[in-house]
Amino acid sequence: MESLGHYLLRERIALPGVGAVEAFEGQDVRTGIDVLAFRPISEPLPALSMPHILPWIDQEGEAWIAEIPVGAVRTAWLAERIDLDRLAQWCKQLATVLHWAQEQNIPVGYVIPELVWARGSRVWLGGVGVSNPGHVRDFPGLLNTIKVLAGEAYPALPWREALEDYVVGHIDYSALVQQLEVGSEPLASKPSPPNPQTAPNPPRVDALEAHSARAGAEGTEDAVQDETTASSLEASDKSPAKAAAAPGAERQAHSKSLNVEVNQPTSPPATSTPPRRIRIEERLEPPFEVLEPPLPSRRAVALWIWLIPLVLLLAGLGWWVRSRTPSSTPVTVYPVEFRLQPPGPGASLIILEAPEGSQMPLNIEVAQLPGRVDFDRPGIYRIRVRVQGRVPVESLIEVPNPGGVTISLR
């Protein structure tokens, strides 16, 4: 860990090839914002405006400093854990950066997962404008980055062939974007028109009409039969004069359709005897013996009156004892390995500032370096390393830090 002006360089990012440019991830000690530094670069800082690149904010000597968006993380940490829809969006954004840089004649020498930062569905590429002796724009790096992020799912990507063709120059940028947006989903098969030879034959009209006619004729005959029977019964009850007119009425019934209603005379209601009233007497008392619960005695009531406060007292005593007993849950620690550069005699570590909630002692010696130091809270710590005969070194460290911390002694 070293300082570059008011920037603290925490970790070196390995760049591919044998270029002389180095990349570091760091932090602005004034604001706490994460930064990305490239050095040595003698050219002046470029002014670039592109949505998906890390913007250059400062030039410290021969180093270019780019700002990392708050909350963004390296895509290398998310490899093989990204859904395919989000990966397609990231690939489209990175291809847009390379296409824009090619149109503006801006070098993009390095495209690796360690230089691509993501937050949600957006990505930012760092180092746009840094040249590479091997190639002006790292199109193969784009393909390798997508392979690393996709992992085992890369052969099944629907737009894999389009990306490979774009990298080698067989298709242009617009064709790649179209494949990324649409994908290679097969078109839905259209329903084939019905085959007249295999279609079922429609029912013939003449057969249907004949069947309806037969049904109508049968219904007419039944209706006429019913009407004839009703007329004969009516004629037997009437006078001879009315009986002479019965044939005419019968003929009229034969000539009418099914909708003709025959009105029969209503017979006078027969006199019926009133129903007998049966009185059922119900017993007011149940047929079984009713057992009532006994009333509580005074002794039981007094026992409950004493038992409830006793239970509450025991519960309060247990809560008090539990609150006084120290928790036996294990305390989470965050170990950090410290190294001295150059190696030499031991040094003492003093914590000057700690994050909120930390119980680490301040302004006193907490450990001897080199070696491992356990911190109780994650966050940013300001420390001082003191070696006999050397100038004390103060720096900021981030916990947890899997790569460890190297202290450069003066």
Side-chain angles (χ1 to χ4, degrees):
M1 182 179 297
E2 60 179 302
S3 299
L4 181 64
H6 51 265
Y7 299 103
L8 183 65
L9 304 184
R10 292 194 302 252
E11 182 180 354
R12 183 176 181 272
I13 300 175
L15 299 179
V18 292
V21 179
E22 296 179 331
F24 295 87
E25 180 191 353
Q27 185 181 29
D28 189 341
V29 297
R30 302 170 302 176
T31 61
I33 297 177
D34 293 335
V35 296
L36 196 63
F38 290 82
R39 69 176 188 185
I41 305 177
S42 58
E43 290 82 4
L45 194 67
L48 305 179
S49 177
M50 180 67 188
H52 300 291
I53 66 174
L54 295 183
W56 301 109
I57 59 174
D58 195 3
Q59 183 173 9
E60 191 73 32
E62 293 186 351
W64 289 2
I65 310 297
E67 179 181 350
I68 299 174
V70 178
V73 297
R74 291 188 195 175
T75 56
W77 299 346
L78 308 175
E80 302 185 11
R81 293 183 295 173
I82 312 166
D83 57 275
L84 300 185
D85 293 338
R86 181 167 298 181
L87 184 61
Q89 296 178 5
W90 291 2
C91 181
K92 176 183 175 182
Q93 295 171 15
L94 294 176
T96 302
V97 172
L98 289 175
H99 177 69
W100 172 81
Q102 189 174 17
E103 289 184 344
Q104 301 295 328
N105 196 21
I106 297 173
V108 182
Y110 305 95
V111 181
I112 58 177
E114 288 76 9
L115 295 180
V116 180
W117 299 78
R119 185 182 63 198
S121 61
R122 296 189 59 187
V123 292
W124 294 267
L125 175 61
V128 175
V130 178
S131 59
N132 186 354
H135 39 254
V136 179
R137 272 163 288 278
D138 192 7
F139 286 95
L142 170 63
L143 178 60
N144 182 66
T145 298
I146 298 301
K147 287 182 178 180
V148 171
L149 298 181
E152 297 180 356
Y154 176 75
L157 293 179
W159 36 268
R160 174 181 59 83
E161 296 182 359
L163 176 62
E164 294 174 354
D165 292 342
Y166 172 71
V167 169
V168 297
H170 291 169
I171 63 175
D172 58 359
Y173 166 74
S174 59
L176 173 63
V177 171
Q178 183 178 5
Q179 288 295 329
L180 289 173
E181 293 177 350
V182 179
S184 57
E185 299 178 357
L187 296 177
S189 57
K190 297 181 179 180
S192 56
N195 190 357
Q197 297 180 357
T198 60
N201 294 327
R204 297 183 58 184
V205 179
D206 52 356
L208 181 61
E209 291 179 353
H211 178 72
S212 301
R214 285 196 300 271
E218 292 176 359
T220 306
E221 291 177 359
D222 294 342
V224 170
Q225 246 178 355
D226 295 340
E227 291 176 1
T228 305
T229 305
S231 300
S232 61
L233 292 175
E234 183 181 0
S236 62
D237 295 336
K238 292 183 179 180
S239 60
K242 294 181 179 179
E250 184 178 355
R251 284 194 301 270
Q252 183 179 3
H254 276 280
S255 65
K256 290 185 179 180
S257 63
L258 296 176
N259 295 329
V260 174
E261 295 182 1
V262 179
N263 294 326
Q264 296 182 0
T266 58
S267 57
T271 59
S272 58
T273 59
R276 296 178 59 187
R277 297 181 179 179
I278 301 175
R279 183 176 181 181
I280 300 177
E281 296 182 355
E282 296 182 357
R283 296 178 58 185
L284 299 178
E285 298 180 356
F288 51 86
E289 183 181 358
V290 178
L291 300 178
E292 297 182 356
L295 296 176
S297 61
R298 293 183 178 181
R299 191 171 184 179
V301 173
L303 179 62
W304 279 107
I305 291 176
W306 282 100
L307 185 60
I308 292 176
L310 182 60
V311 171
L312 295 177
L313 180 61
L314 292 177
L317 182 61
W319 177 82
W320 179 78
V321 172
R322 185 174 181 179
S323 62
R324 298 275 301 193
T325 305
S327 177
S328 60
T329 57
V331 179
T332 304
V333 296
Y334 302 87
V336 177
E337 189 71 24
F338 285 83
R339 299 177 294 272
L340 298 179
Q341 184 67 31
S348 60
L349 175 66
I350 300 174
I351 299 178
L352 301 180
E353 293 182 9
E356 184 178 358
S358 174
Q359 301 296 328
M360 300 291 290
L362 303 180
N363 300 318
I364 63 173
E365 180 181 349
V366 296
Q368 288 290 328
L369 305 181
R372 167 180 162 178
V373 180
D374 294 335
F375 294 85
D376 60 346
R377 287 287 188 277
I380 303 299
Y381 289 80
R382 187 163 68 92
I383 63 173
R384 176 184 296 161
V385 178
R386 180 178 297 169
V387 181
Q388 187 69 26
R390 293 180 179 270
V391 179
V393 177
E394 293 186 6
S395 62
L396 295 176
I397 64 171
E398 181 180 8
V399 177
N401 197 328
V405 177
T406 301
I407 304 297
S408 298
L409 302 177
R410 302 174 185 173

